Amino acid sequence: MEQFEYTDEELIAMFQDGDTQAYNQLVFRFKDRLYNFIYRFVNDLDKAEDLLQDTFLKLYTHKHSYREIAKFSTWLYTIASNLAKTELRKLRRRRTYSASDLSRDNREFVFTTQDDQTFSGEDGESLGKNLQAALNALPQDFKTIIILRDIQELSYEDISKIVGVPIGTVKSRINRGRLKLQKLLINKGENLN
């Protein structure tokens, strides 16, 4: 099967008919984007990996729940979003620390801007930490929509379906969320020019 021979909707239909290769192809297509999406919520590499696996497990076990009334990607992002939000609620109740929080020095951080300017090492780590801290400081409604639009680059229509609000509300929250994020980054000393 060619990598992009079929649409996502065709692949899920094939998987629903028992084709496990179609499932493998869907995992291949979405694993990196979903991992990044989930990580932006939980800010923990190991927890993001676990939630990614849970997302694909739900896809596997609930494959017949998908109906072609929405795009497949919208359905899958909704699953990932719900799992990440549930995990955040659990974490707020527990207040624990993970090993990935304690040992970041052996991880390499590389961030790329739209201008293909790469930040690595201390500059990239500082920018990344400040960006993640600013994202975490946003109210949940703004955080979700900013991640979906600016990081995952989903359409307004897809975001509207995932979060269950009208497109006008999505656009408004994106604008207000970006302004809040910008203020938070400026307060942390980031030069946004």
Side-chain angles (χ1 to χ4, degrees):
M1 174 181 340
E2 281 293 315
Q3 182 173 351
F4 295 104
E5 184 177 337
Y6 298 103
T7 67
D8 299 336
E9 290 73 20
E10 290 170 332
L11 285 172
I12 186 63
M14 292 164 59
F15 176 50
Q16 288 171 331
D17 289 337
D19 183 351
T20 56
Q21 280 300 104
Y23 170 78
N24 293 336
Q25 189 61 46
L26 288 168
V27 170
F28 178 77
R29 282 187 188 180
F30 285 95
K31 66 181 178 175
D32 293 335
R33 288 184 287 167
L34 281 174
Y35 179 77
N36 188 28
F37 172 69
I38 294 168
Y39 173 74
R40 295 295 177 177
F41 271 96
V42 297
N43 197 26
D44 180 312
L45 298 170
D46 297 325
K47 187 57 68 181
E49 181 69 34
D50 291 344
L51 291 171
L52 178 67
Q53 295 302 320
D54 290 346
T55 300
F56 288 127
L57 180 62
K58 281 214 183 276
L59 166 60
Y60 194 88
T61 59
H62 293 82
K63 63 185 173 191
H64 294 292
S65 298
Y66 173 74
R67 303 283 182 257
E68 203 170 334
I69 55 175
K71 286 175 56 176
F72 171 76
S73 59
T74 302
W75 183 73
L76 192 59
Y77 271 95
T78 302
I79 292 171
S81 176
N82 289 339
L83 288 170
K85 288 175 186 177
T86 300
E87 183 60 30
L88 285 177
R89 283 192 297 275
K90 288 180 193 174
L91 288 174
R92 285 189 190 114
R93 286 193 297 260
R94 280 190 251 140
R95 295 285 185 215
T96 59
Y97 298 93
S98 72
S100 64
D101 289 336
L102 302 175
S103 63
R104 292 200 186 269
D105 53 325
N106 61 352
R107 301 178 194 270
E108 183 177 324
F109 294 89
V110 178
F111 299 94
T112 306
T113 65
Q114 289 180 341
D115 300 330
D116 288 334
Q117 178 184 7
T118 301
F119 297 96
S120 60
E122 288 182 28
D123 289 343
E125 187 173 344
S126 173
L127 174 63
K129 284 181 180 178
N130 286 342
L131 179 59
Q132 189 62 50
L135 271 173
N136 289 338
L138 287 175
Q140 192 66 43
D141 291 344
F142 293 122
K143 178 180 178 180
T144 301
I145 288 180
I146 292 293
I147 292 170
L148 289 170
R149 180 65 183 167
D150 293 336
I151 297 173
Q152 296 298 311
E153 299 178 345
L154 295 181
S155 70
Y156 293 120
E157 294 81 17
D158 289 345
I159 296 169
S160 172
K161 291 175 185 170
I162 290 170
V163 298
V165 298
I167 292 176
T169 304
V170 168
K171 290 178 180 180
S172 172
R173 286 184 186 170
I174 288 171
N175 288 332
R176 290 182 12 228
R178 285 175 179 163
L179 289 173
K180 288 177 182 283
L181 188 61
Q182 184 179 28
K183 283 182 184 177
L184 289 166
L185 286 170
I186 289 171
N187 289 341
K188 292 194 176 291
E190 290 295 336
N191 182 5
L192 301 178
N193 294 327

